[in-house]
Amino acid sequence: MQFAPLFPYFYRILQPTFPNCLWGGDRNSKAIALTFDDGPHPQYTPQLLKVLDHYDIKASFFWLGACVNRSPEIAQAICDRGHWIGLHGYDHRSFPMLSPNDLKDSLEKTQTAIYNACNLLPEKVRDVRPPNGLFTPKTLKLFFEWNYRPVMWSVVPEDWVLPGVDTVVQRVLNQVQNGSMIVLHDGACGGQDVAATTKILIPQLLQQGSQFVTVDTLWQYTKTN
């Protein structure tokens, strides 16, 4: 069963319940963020980078530390292009299933992997998106204690179940609004179609007047509104 039609309703319930998470940007601005989870992947991520290069668009990537360690040269290529980097845990285990020590270790190991690959200092990589979008109030409390910034989403087309490129594109176009944060995947689940999806999606969103920004820019909007 696919849950994509339900995600907009989940968003409406969760967003006001957890206002300290980043769920999107300014509803009065055409600025939206294109974000990618679960990478970097040795095959799918380079294909995606070619599309982003073609349109000169800066995206945001939430990485798994294990994948960074497997493909450090791809991680460096992403950083060299000026894309924004965030954390997705070391190995995609759901954060509520981890003890506080294990959660801290997962995030710090990922930061170390990113530093080794990209020379990005840990204090520069503080945005965290929980795997599967699962967190608890306790998880958020720990994030704030450790000086991380929790990042969620507003448009989830469920590309990881491979419903087809056209379906993913249509789901995004149906849901996107001013300030939207779109989540796609360039990892093992969903990455097969990510380049083809993005190649169709970007020009259509540009035609609608959307402006692509990074997650860090969306945070700036929350400080000024």
Side-chain angles (χ1 to χ4, degrees):
M1 178 181 179
Q2 295 185 24
F3 294 95
L6 301 178
F7 280 115
Y9 300 101
F10 295 160
Y11 168 76
R12 288 173 202 163
I13 295 169
L14 290 171
Q15 194 271 341
T17 306
F18 298 99
N20 292 326
C21 296
L22 182 68
W23 295 87
D26 184 355
R27 287 295 182 90
N28 296 312
S29 169
K30 286 285 189 179
I32 64 174
L34 197 54
T35 73
F36 300 94
D37 290 1
D38 295 357
H41 188 278
Q43 179 182 353
Y44 308 140
T45 304
Q47 295 170 354
L48 170 63
L49 282 180
K50 289 181 181 179
V51 178
L52 297 175
D53 286 350
H54 178 77
Y55 290 100
D56 192 24
I57 281 174
K58 296 294 182 281
S60 302
F61 290 81
F62 289 86
W63 283 340
L64 297 172
C67 292
V68 175
N69 281 335
R70 282 196 290 266
S71 302
E73 70 289 347
I74 297 172
Q76 184 175 23
I78 294 170
C79 287
D80 288 347
R81 285 163 167 79
H83 298 293
W84 189 253
I85 307 304
L87 308 169
H88 202 44
Y90 189 78
D91 52 12
H92 213 275
R93 286 182 294 168
S94 292
F95 288 166
M97 304 297 293
L98 301 177
S99 69
N101 284 340
D102 286 343
L103 174 57
K104 196 167 192 287
D105 183 60
S106 175
L107 296 173
E108 290 179 349
K109 280 174 64 179
T110 305
Q111 287 175 313
T112 298
I114 292 169
Y115 175 74
N116 290 337
C118 307
N119 204 32
L120 274 181
L121 294 172
E123 55 265 30
K124 298 291 186 181
V125 189
R126 300 307 246 173
D127 288 328
V128 181
R129 176 176 281 156
N132 306 309
L134 297 176
F135 61 89
T136 64
K138 180 181 178 181
T139 309
L140 293 183
K141 184 173 182 290
L142 292 172
F143 286 165
F144 295 127
E145 285 180 8
W146 299 333
N147 197 29
Y148 292 109
R149 302 191 299 186
V151 177
M152 293 300 289
W153 32 254
S154 59
V155 178
V156 188
E158 206 177 13
D159 59 324
W160 63 88
V161 298
L162 298 177
V165 170
D166 291 341
T167 297
V168 172
V169 169
Q170 198 56 52
R171 286 174 177 172
V172 172
L173 294 177
N174 287 343
Q175 295 180 36
V176 72
Q177 304 176 45
N178 287 352
S180 284
M181 181 159 41
I182 302 163
V183 57
L184 296 170
H185 294 76
D186 63 323
C189 297
Q192 298 92 324
D193 289 342
V194 72
T197 298
T198 309
K199 188 175 182 178
I200 296 171
L201 193 56
I202 288 176
Q204 294 201 39
L205 289 170
L206 288 172
Q207 191 173 15
Q208 292 179 5
S210 295
Q211 302 167 349
F212 291 91
V213 300
T214 66
V215 161
D216 189 51
T217 302
L218 293 190
W219 276 115
Q220 302 309 313
Y221 286 134
T222 67
K223 295 176 183 177
T224 56
N225 288 280

